[in-house]
């Protein structure tokens, strides 16, 4: 990480000033527009519309029709063209040749006719989108209308997504790399690791429209997220009038899981009011078995000095109330004001049991204890967003100015009671209680501006300022004899208070250029970070200020209507989350605890990706990334010794990632389509932790295949299988694991309702077996959770069916919200 004090604000002003530059071209160009309809006259949204040269059918540009079935190609150069349109279940249709000069061109509506196979008796053409789609710069997981989504959580859907893995500490990885930016409706979440996983478990998949996996984002996105972005887009009704939906589901594995929700939307000419409410009551089970070996080096000879065995089992119960309310008001046709409020009240309680035995090198027992760990938490949070959008039009096209102001407040109150009964060599009882209070406030303001520079080029520029204040207070109490009774008093060795203040100033500029068969984009983002950490002990205080630039570039070349190649390059950063910096200790049992690391530094990475697409559906991608100071989770001997183990986060020196991604959708029959995704990758890590030098890598692969069956009489089914090979992540080596899930759904009551039934991890094979390897310590663990669940759900839709366009807002506090939480 390079630290600079040389006028960072001047550099940001320079970035914004670049947006004033304009490039003029003498080439004549115009907009080509039209619409796509079915043979019955109904609109067809998300149809693939392609602009071709009339002479040789060379592809110039591809767009999608909107929710009104309309499409537009901006700034098409002068010449003779044809337009084609296609959609699942329909035959491709072509327009007549037409000339483009300086005036706008309106192409007659393209009428798509159902393909012969979809006209069979008793079969309806629905044109539903496939569950997985591979686009030029991202993979889209279409959760809506999937039988597998019913009653599942967002984390369940991510586990089955192409290239995504979740490790034993609930860290998300994409193509073997951690350090992901998670967005929900454009807002980054204030959590990482287990806290983010808990939030995603509380977010029902029934609320999700789709999930986008973006591996190499452009400059307009915050630079956070070296491995890419996971963007979760929630459903939002777009119908005129008053409408909504009711949904309820019940699932059972070892325990019950109940979810119910209501969404309402009222839309008139200038006003759109919307709101949702969801209640979830879910009970879960997990188990963890651990074997540990401890070594020493007397006279430079590796010698076993002790062993331990642990058997852990836990049961948890979570109840959440989540809500969202907002409105959009159209002051004029080009000016929109919006306000959105979100809230989540999550209450959790859990009970964990631990049985442990300690052994001498010869296998004889040296100690035995049983622990009971009781936890409960109250985690309310809310956020407010005010937004503004205005569009301008001139001879070059449409300009757009957007602005957002965000305020978010996250609170957490956690109580823990850890009772440990030692039964050998002597019988004693130890009790440890703690109260933890976390308060986090995030404020941000951002503005973005886009404008055409010419008929074929566009400028995007923007800036953002954010402020974060985190205050964390941890109070441990231990029993002290006072007369005839024991009193609980503050334990100064474990109690602590940690405050964290952060301010980030950012600016970016990006220019794109469209040429025949070529699309070019170049961007530059600058971010100034000012951070102060104030633990209770002055010795751990830190004050960091640094400015960094994040360039990005992308180029795409279309060889023909079947072959397209794209190349992208970017530099990105991953700042430690606020929880990862927090030195608080969270005790799991008498010999295991988790703790943050205030000495963590940000990791930065360079990312290169080359992708070739054939026939607009088959793709082969090669990527390379090198990360400096990678942030990795570790389980290692604690500094205080005594066979105590700490789970924490550390910086290594380097990480190299090489990946080959193959996407191959196949239509085995008109009613049976299969989406296949294979990621072959190699991770290599270099560094030194706990006295162990690491320079090791391992090839691995991730396989995901999903079959979709479109059956008659409104029946649909999905069958999903995934497999993760043996792999290495830093000091962890994990064994292979996989799962098979299936779901079926049926539309009823004149398509007003949908009934879904699914079963996840049918063979209960999604279990983690891994080994942690240090010179002085080896740990082997086996982790299971309640992954095999059968769920039945019902969704009922009511109100007006007439669709009108709307917009989705993403506020300005996204980056800070992602990093505001746990380890």
């Amino acid at each position: 990480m390079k630290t600079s004090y040389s006028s960072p604000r001047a550099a940001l002003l320079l970035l914004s000033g670049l947006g004033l530059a304009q490039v003029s071209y003498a080439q004549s160009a115009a907009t080509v527009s039209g619409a796509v309809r079915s043979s019955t006259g109904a609109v067809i949204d998300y149809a693939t519309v392609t602009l071709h040269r009339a002479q040789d059918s060379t592809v110039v540009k591809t767009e999608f029709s909107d929710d009104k079935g309309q499409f537009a190609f901006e700034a098409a150069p002068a010449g003779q063209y044809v337009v084609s349109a296609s959609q699942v279940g329909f035959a491709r249709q072509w327009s007549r040749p037409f000339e483009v000069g300086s005036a706008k061109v309106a192409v007659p509506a393209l009428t798509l006719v159902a393909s012969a196979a979809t006209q069979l008796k008793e079969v309806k053409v629905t044109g539903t989108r496939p569950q997985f789609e591979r686009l030029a710069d991202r993979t889209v997981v279409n959760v809506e209308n999937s039988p597998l989504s019913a009653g599942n959580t967002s984390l369940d859907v991510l586990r089955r997504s192409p290239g995504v893995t979740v490790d034993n500490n609930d860290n998300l990885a994409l193509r073997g790399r951690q350090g992901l930016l998670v967005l929900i409706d454009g807002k980054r979440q204030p959590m990482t690791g287990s806290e983010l996983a808990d939030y995603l478990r509380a977010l029902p998949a029934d609320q999700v429209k789709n999930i986008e996996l973006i591996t190499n984002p452009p400059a307009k996105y915050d630079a956070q997220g070296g491995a890419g972005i996971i963007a979760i887009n929630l459903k939002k009704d777009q119908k005129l009038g008053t409408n909504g939906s009711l949904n309820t589901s019940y699932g059972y594995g070892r325990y019950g899981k109940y979810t119910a929700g209501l969404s309402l939307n009222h839309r008139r000419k200038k006003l759109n009011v919307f709101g949702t409410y969801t209640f979830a009551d879910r009970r879960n089970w997990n188990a963890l078995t651990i074997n540990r070996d401890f070594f020493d080096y007397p006279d430079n000879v590796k010698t076993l000095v002790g062993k331990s065995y642990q058997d852990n089992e836990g049961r948890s119960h979570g109840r959440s109330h989540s809500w969202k309310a907002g409105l959009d008001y159209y002051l004029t046709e080009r000016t929109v004001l919006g306000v959105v409020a979100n809230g989540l009240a999550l209450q959790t309680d859990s009970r964990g049991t631990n049985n442990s035995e300690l052994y001498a090198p010869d296998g004889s027992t040296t100690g035995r204890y049983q622990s009971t760990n009781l936890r409960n938490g109250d985690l309310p949070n809310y956020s407010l967003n005010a937004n503004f959008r205005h569009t301008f039009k001139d001879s070059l096209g449409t300009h757009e100015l957007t602005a957002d102001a965000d305020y978010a407040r996250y609170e957490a109150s956690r109580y823990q009671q850890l009772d440990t009964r030692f039964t050998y060599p002597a019988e004693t009882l130890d009790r440890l209680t703690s109260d933890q209070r976390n308060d986090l406030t995030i404020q941000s303001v951002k503005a973005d501006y886009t404008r055409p520079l010419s008929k074929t080029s566009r400028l995007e520029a923007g800036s953002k300022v954010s402020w974060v204040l985190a205050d964390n207070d941890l109070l441990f109490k231990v029993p002290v004899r006072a007369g005839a009774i024991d009193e609980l008093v503050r334990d100064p060795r474990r109690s602590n208070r940690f405050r964290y203040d952060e301010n980030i100033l950012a600016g970016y500029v990006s220019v794109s250029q469209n040429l025949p068969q070529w699309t070019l984009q170049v961007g530059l983002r600058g971010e100034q970070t000012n951070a102060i950490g104030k633990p209770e002990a002055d010795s751990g205080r830190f004050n960091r200020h640094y400015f960094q630039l994040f360039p990005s570039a992308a180029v795409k070349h279309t060889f023909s209507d079947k072959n397209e190649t794209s190349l992208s390059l970017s530099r990105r950063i991953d700042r430690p989350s606020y929880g990862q910096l927090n030195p608080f200790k969270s005790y799991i049992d008498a010999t295991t605890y988790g703790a943050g690391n205030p000495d963590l530094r940000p990791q930065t990475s360079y990312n290169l990706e080359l992708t070739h697409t054939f026939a607009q559906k088959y793709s082969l991608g090669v990527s390379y990334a090198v990360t400096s100071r990678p942030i990795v989770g570790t389980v290692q001997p604690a500094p205080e010794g005594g066979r105590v183990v700490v789970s924490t986060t550390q910086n290594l020196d380097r990480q190299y990632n090489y990946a080959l991604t193959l996407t191959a959708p196949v239509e085995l029959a008109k009613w049976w389509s299969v989406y296949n995704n294979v990621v072959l990758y190699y991770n290599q890590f270099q560094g030194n932790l706990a006295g162990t030098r690491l320079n090791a890598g391992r090839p691995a692969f991730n396989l995901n295949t999903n079959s979709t069956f479109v059956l008659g009489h409104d029946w649909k089914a999905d069958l999903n299988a995934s497999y993760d090979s043996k792999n290495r992540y830093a000091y962890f080596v994990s064994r292979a694991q996989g799962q098979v899930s299936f779901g079926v759904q049926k539309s009823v009551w004149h398509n007003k309702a949908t009934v879904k039934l699914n079963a996840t991890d049918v063979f209960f094979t999604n279990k983690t077996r891994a080994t942690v390897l240090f010179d002085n310590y080896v740990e082997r663990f086996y982790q299971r959770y309640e992954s095999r669940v059968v769920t039945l759900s019902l969704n009922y839709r009511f109100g007006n069916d007439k669709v009108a366009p709307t917009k989705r807002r993403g506020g300005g506090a996204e980056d800070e919200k992602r990093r505001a939480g746990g380890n």
Side-chain angles (χ1 to χ4, degrees), residues 37-331:
R37 301 284 187 269
S38 70
S39 57
T40 62
V43 302
I44 297 180
D45 59 355
Y46 299 110
T48 302
V49 187
T50 307
L51 182 68
H52 308 261
R53 286 182 179 174
Q55 181 179 4
D56 54 9
S57 297
T58 298
V59 174
V60 177
K61 194 174 183 182
T62 299
E63 296 285 355
F64 293 98
S65 59
D66 62 16
D67 52 11
K68 291 184 176 181
Q70 298 178 351
F71 65 87
F73 296 99
E74 300 284 350
Q80 190 175 48
Y81 299 93
V82 292
V83 170
S84 70
S86 63
Q87 176 62 288
V88 177
F90 297 90
R92 181 182 291 271
Q93 298 297 319
W94 296 75
S95 72
R96 293 181 178 274
F98 55 88
E99 290 284 344
V100 172
S102 58
K104 295 182 179 180
V105 177
V107 178
L110 296 171
T111 301
L112 300 190
V113 179
S115 59
T118 58
Q119 294 177 358
L120 296 174
K121 187 177 180 180
E122 301 298 333
V123 177
K124 295 181 181 180
V125 177
T126 61
T128 56
R129 308 193 73 176
Q131 185 173 3
F132 299 102
E133 291 181 283
R134 175 63 187 173
L135 303 182
D137 63 341
R138 67 195 65 192
T139 297
V140 180
V141 182
N142 291 305
V143 182
E144 190 175 22
N145 299 322
S146 168
L148 283 172
S149 67
N152 279 211
T153 69
S154 299
L155 187 64
D156 295 329
V157 175
L158 279 173
R159 288 181 186 273
R160 297 191 295 268
S161 298
V164 177
T165 55
V166 184
D167 70 7
N168 60 294
N169 290 319
D170 289 328
N171 294 308
L172 294 169
L174 181 60
R175 299 194 304 200
R177 296 180 62 202
Q178 296 183 10
L180 285 161
L181 191 62
V182 177
L183 301 160
I184 297 181
D185 265 354
K187 299 178 182 297
R188 295 187 179 99
Q189 296 310 295
M191 310 148 195
T192 58
S194 59
E195 290 198 355
L196 175 61
D198 288 341
Y199 183 90
L200 294 175
R201 289 187 185 101
L203 179 64
D206 292 307
Q207 293 186 13
V208 178
K209 178 182 179 182
N210 59 39
I211 298 174
E212 298 175 83
L213 310 176
I214 310 170
T215 53
N216 218 352
K220 72 175 182 178
Y221 290 96
D222 286 348
Q224 185 81 15
I229 292 176
I230 293 180
I232 300 174
N233 301 314
L234 304 181
K235 297 176 183 178
K236 183 176 178 181
D237 215 324
Q238 300 180 350
K239 301 181 182 71
L240 290 170
T242 302
N243 48 79
S245 65
L246 285 164
N247 68 276
T248 183
S249 68
Y250 183 79
Y252 190 84
R254 290 187 177 222
Y255 301 99
K257 301 160 196 349
Y258 174 72
T259 304
L262 168 68
S263 68
L264 292 171
N265 187 80
H266 180 76
R267 187 180 179 91
R268 284 292 180 256
K269 292 181 178 180
K270 290 189 175 184
L271 181 66
N272 182 40
V273 182
F274 53 90
T276 62
Y277 168 77
T278 301
F279 170 73
D281 189 317
R282 303 176 66 89
R283 296 178 184 269
N284 293 283
W285 165 89
N286 64 83
L288 176 63
T289 303
I290 304 174
N291 287 278
R292 293 169 174 167
D293 296 339
F294 298 85
F295 299 90
D296 202 354
Y297 285 84
D299 302 323
N300 293 321
V301 178
K302 186 174 183 178
T303 304
L304 178 68
V305 295
K307 296 183 176 183
S308 70
Y309 170 82
Q310 293 190 355
D311 188 22
N312 302 270
E313 186 172 9
R315 296 170 178 81
S316 62
H317 183 199
R319 300 164 300 282
S320 65
H321 302 266
S322 58
W323 56 271
K324 177 179 181 178
L327 63 87
D328 298 323
Y329 184 73
Y330 295 77
L331 295 175

Side-chain angles (χ1 to χ4, degrees), residues 621-667:
V622 180
S623 62
Y624 168 76
V626 55
T627 303
S628 300
R629 291 182 175 174
I631 299 172
V632 299
T634 70
V635 178
Q636 62 190 61
E640 58 265 33
R643 300 189 193 175
V644 178
V645 173
V646 57
S647 174
T648 186
T649 311
Q650 304 271 17
N651 288 109
L652 289 176
D653 296 335
R654 282 282 192 277
Q655 178 189 354
Y656 299 92
N657 176 272
Y658 311 82
L660 176 68
T661 303
L662 173 64
T663 301
V666 180
E667 189 175 287

Side-chain angles (χ1 to χ4, degrees), residues 168-169 288 290-295 305-310 312 354 356-358 369 375 418 494 584-596 633-650 690 731-732 771-774 776-781 823:
N168 60 294
N169 290 319
L288 176 63
I290 304 174
N291 287 278
R292 293 169 174 167
D293 296 339
F294 298 85
F295 299 90
V305 295
K307 296 183 176 183
S308 70
Y309 170 82
Q310 293 190 355
N312 302 270
N354 169 276
S356 298
E357 290 198 5
L358 310 179
Y369 65 85
R375 300 171 184 257
L418 177 63
R494 298 185 178 99
F584 285 3
K585 293 181 179 180
S586 174
Y587 286 85
I588 302 168
D589 59 65
T591 59
T592 310
Y593 67 90
T634 70
V635 178
Q636 62 190 61
E640 58 265 33
R643 300 189 193 175
V644 178
V645 173
V646 57
S647 174
T648 186
T649 311
Q650 304 271 17
Y731 293 89
F732 288 80
T771 303
V772 184
L773 298 167
F774 288 92
N776 62 344
Y777 175 71
V778 175
E779 175 177 307
R780 297 171 297 278
F781 63 85
N823 299 318

